Amino acid sequence: MAGARQAQQWLLTLLPTFPVLLLVLRLWQLSQQDMSTMLLLVQYVSPLGLLSALLIALVWAFPVVVLAFGVLGRLLRLSAPDRFDPERSLLASGTARTPGWVITAAVALGALTWQLRFLPSLLMLGLWLLALRTRYLHPDQPTRILVVSVALPLAAAVVAYTVLGPAIWAAFQDGEVATAALLAVPPAATMVLTGPIPGWIAPTLTHGLAFTVAAVLPVVMGAVFLRVPLLPTAAVEVVPKESAATTPGVAASTTPGGPAPGVTIPDVPRNGGTPTPDGPPSADGGREVVLGALIAVTDTSTIVLDRTATVRFLPNGWVESQVLCPQPAAVPYSLVSVRGWPVEETALNWMMPRRPLADPDVRCEGRLPGVR
């Protein structure tokens, strides 16, 4: 009894720290491992924006956790009922306390947020859960068990192969073995775990797979989240102007010893020329486009993290214009589609309205308007 309760207490204590750890690691990566830059990001980045990015990026993980541990727990309960002890096993405790509507919600959420190539796996997990639950709740109804454990998976496999057959063949022809396997294997595997397995191996197998999922899933979630943008990408057109703050003899930074690491301050000309943000006067008066992540706009300056991970403090009087740049679309790894639906597309993205195409702003490419 104490083992399961202590494990649950530790899990509930450590679980909230995982999102915080992911957010800190993402900011640390975004700052290029510079503590001053990271502290600046922590000061200005909205916590709500961080949590929103985390939720959107990792919403697919909830169905994975619920369905994977649900299958393993129900398989243990059906195969080795004498070893299914909710007071000692965390897997058994979670299975016994998870209501059916949570499983249904997980399947529905997975259908919306998983890519098309993973939907056959979702079908497989859902049918496994249904068959194991039916065998446990209705052991004295062989007809129902036969329909749910044999007839329904067989019919689902036939329908799946009818729909996915051309895509599977196209994936094999294009050399996309992983995509072909994700589409072809799960429908055939729906009849593998619709019943119990030998009781002597069930505890070791189910707990071993549960520990494997618990170890691998956080690593995958971290790898996915570390690629998610946290700040809006903006292009700021800067035109340096003469001002009291840029005349010789006026300090450009109030930081003792100079600017902080990773932070650049516009250079001050000493020869009477036009001040420029990054160097000596140029023919166009130092006019440039600063492209990067927009951190904040204060009363005195616009703070941008440019493409070299350097913080730029641009005086607001120098900012001629700025434009919000859309995030570049991810390059697809697979060209396979199912009846026009790309295998890397989710149902949620397919259902949402598409953003109208527009000519890209040249400033989002780092170029000045009118300059080729």
Side-chain angles (χ1 to χ4, degrees), residues 13-184:
T13 302
L14 296 177
L15 190 60
T17 63
F18 179 66
V20 177
L21 179 62
L22 282 181
L23 295 175
V24 173
L25 287 177
R26 183 66 182 93
L27 291 177
W28 180 246
Q29 182 202 37
L30 188 62
S31 64
Q32 296 293 320
Q33 295 81 49
D34 180 70
M35 184 59 69
S36 297
T37 304
M38 191 187 100
L39 293 177
L40 181 69
L41 294 176
V42 172
Q43 179 181 358
Y44 286 107
V45 174
S46 168
L48 181 60
L50 292 175
L51 294 176
S52 300
L54 181 67
L55 177 62
I56 293 174
L58 302 180
V59 67
W60 54 267
F62 174 75
V64 174
V65 173
V66 173
L67 297 178
F69 288 103
V71 168
L72 295 175
R74 282 160 177 76
L75 185 63
L76 174 63
R77 181 172 60 183
L78 190 64
S79 303
D82 55 324
R83 300 289 299 274
F84 186 83
D85 188 359
E87 300 297 333
R88 290 183 174 273
S89 170
L90 189 60
L91 178 63
S93 177
T95 302
R97 297 182 180 183
T98 302
W101 66 267
V102 174
I103 302 294
T104 304
V107 173
L109 184 61
L112 291 175
T113 59
W114 287 14
Q115 296 179 4
L116 174 59
R117 55 183 170 181
F118 297 118
L119 292 186
S121 300
L122 178 66
L123 175 66
M124 176 186 68
L125 292 173
L127 290 178
W128 283 355
L129 282 169
L130 181 60
L132 294 173
R133 182 176 181 274
T134 302
R135 284 181 178 271
Y136 176 75
L137 295 178
H138 308 283
D140 55 344
Q141 299 183 17
T143 303
R144 174 180 289 188
I145 294 176
L146 183 65
V147 170
V148 175
S149 302
V150 179
L152 185 59
L154 184 61
V158 172
V159 174
Y161 285 129
T162 302
V163 176
L164 301 176
I168 296 173
W169 178 247
F172 272 118
Q173 287 184 322
D174 294 340
E176 299 181 17
V177 180
T179 301
L182 287 172
L183 297 177

